[in-house]
Amino acid sequence: MMFVPGNNPGLIAEAHIYGADALMFDLEDSVKLSEKDSARFLVYQALKTINYGDIEKVVRVNPLNTPYGKADIEAMIFAGADIIRLPKSETAQDVIDVDEWITECEKRAGLEQGTIGMMAAIESGLGILNALSIATASPRLIGIAIGAEDFVTDLKTTRSTEGSELFTARSLLVFAARAAGIAVLDTVFADVNDDEGFRREVQTIKQLGFDGKSVINPRQIGPVVEIFTPTAKEIDHAERVIEALKEAEAKGLGVISLDGKMIDKPVVDRAERVLKMAEAAGVIKR
């Protein structure tokens, strides 16, 4: 998911050419107060007129308790955004309040209720402690994410290269997302010149169980795709697992085995995920 500042006309116009799976047009932190209204208009016009193809269009709006939040949401729904991303979510009520306003805006736009999805960014200690209730607060919610800069500030610390200050929060966020059955995305890596550090962080969050990562520069997209794409060896093993499952089912066998080892449901589930990730990356077709 690539961040696109809502006040950057050049990047807004070209964002879809870089290969991100989702674009997140930002009306919040990257836009200063004097440009809030003009950024909203700019993103509105872009979503109405630019063909972004099948790339998911996400808009990070300002909080409802600001003078801009409601106007942001209404404009983006009428513009054709796919997902509204809530910043600084701390309680389930934050999600519920936005859900109710989205429902009202859907009615005005003539859309079926539930058309617009939601994401919640969690950026404080309170938000992390309430992650499960946030993740289950609305059927619209398709994912949650961590916003590290605000989070470490709230914890009165700073970001480090090894990310030790984020380990607990990241883990709790993954737990909440899995319990809710939704996606979970990691935060941005701000130093675009530290390629090694970026790759190390992407490998870490993949191992923790994240579904993807937010990026701020087009050149960060490639490493994320590369690291999350299953290897040829992983794909081959996954295909063999699924084939063994089909053979066992065809023979009416209750026990599945491959290379002399029993295959149980977790192994099958992991194999399915590997193949889905490979398909999403365009490595295989199913």
Side-chain angles (χ1 to χ4, degrees):
M1 179 176 289
M2 186 170 76
F3 274 55
V4 182
N7 57 354
N8 187 326
L11 187 54
I12 288 173
E14 299 178 352
H16 57 298
I17 70 175
Y18 298 109
D21 296 307
L23 299 174
M24 196 206 72
F25 301 92
D26 185 24
L27 300 177
E28 196 218 5
D29 281 350
S30 67
V31 179
K32 59 185 180 181
L33 292 178
S34 62
E35 296 181 351
K36 294 290 187 183
D37 293 331
S38 60
R40 183 190 311 118
F41 180 76
L42 181 61
V43 174
Y44 173 87
Q45 291 296 331
L47 293 179
K48 292 286 285 185
T49 59
I50 298 174
N51 181 6
Y52 289 101
D54 59 359
I55 299 174
E56 199 168 53
K57 301 180 291 293
V58 184
V59 181
R60 181 167 75 172
V61 298
N62 289 281
L64 281 187
N65 62 0
T66 70
Y68 316 102
K70 283 193 171 184
D72 288 347
I73 293 171
E74 183 173 14
M76 294 308 110
I77 289 175
F78 274 84
D82 299 312
I83 295 170
I84 299 297
R85 175 161 159 158
L86 293 58
K88 302 175 176 60
S89 305
E90 292 194 314
T91 68
Q93 192 61 48
D94 293 337
V95 175
I96 293 168
D97 291 343
V98 172
D99 187 339
E100 291 175 348
W101 180 239
I102 290 177
T103 297
E104 177 61 30
C105 293
E106 283 176 332
K107 293 177 182 176
R108 298 182 188 182
L111 298 174
E112 182 180 348
Q113 184 174 341
T115 299
I116 308 299
M118 294 169 59
M119 288 190 70
I122 297 177
E123 307 178 54
S124 68
L126 177 60
I128 290 296
L129 292 176
N130 287 330
L132 180 57
S133 62
I134 291 171
T136 55
S138 167
R140 290 186 190 274
L141 212 64
I142 58 92
I144 52 178
I146 182 170
E149 297 304 327
D150 283 287
F151 177 74
V152 297
T153 300
D154 185 57
L155 263 60
K156 296 180 171 52
T157 184
T158 57
R159 293 191 67 174
S160 63
T161 53
E162 77 279 0
S164 57
E165 68 287 348
L166 295 175
F167 179 79
T168 299
R170 280 171 164 156
S171 297
L172 290 173
L173 210 65
V174 172
F175 295 167
R178 296 299 167 247
I182 60 177
V184 56
L185 269 74
D186 192 45
T187 188
V188 300
F189 187 87
D191 189 351
V192 297
N193 295 314
D194 185 3
D195 296 336
E196 182 179 341
F198 178 70
R199 292 183 67 90
R200 186 167 55 246
E201 182 164 281
V202 176
Q203 289 165 343
T204 296
I205 62 106
K206 181 194 175 195
Q207 185 63 30
L208 284 175
F210 279 80
D211 295 299
K213 188 163 181 65
S214 301
V215 300
I216 58 172
N217 189 289
R219 78 185 206 196
Q220 293 179 322
I221 296 171
V224 176
V225 174
E226 175 194 335
I227 291 169
F228 271 86
T229 299
T231 64
K233 183 177 180 180
E234 290 170 334
I235 294 170
D236 177 67
H237 180 262
E239 289 177 333
R240 292 174 65 218
V241 167
I242 300 304
E243 185 60 32
L245 172 64
K246 291 179 180 177
E247 289 181 6
E249 289 177 341
K251 295 177 182 178
L253 301 176
V255 178
I256 312 165
S257 63
L258 179 66
D259 299 332
K261 297 180 180 178
M262 188 180 74
I263 300 172
D264 54 10
K265 188 176 183 302
V267 175
V268 174
D269 289 346
R270 286 197 297 271
E272 282 287 359
R273 177 170 172 78
V274 165
L275 296 180
K276 286 179 181 178
M277 293 292 285
E279 184 179 18
V283 177
I284 65 171
K285 292 184 177 180
R286 300 179 72 191

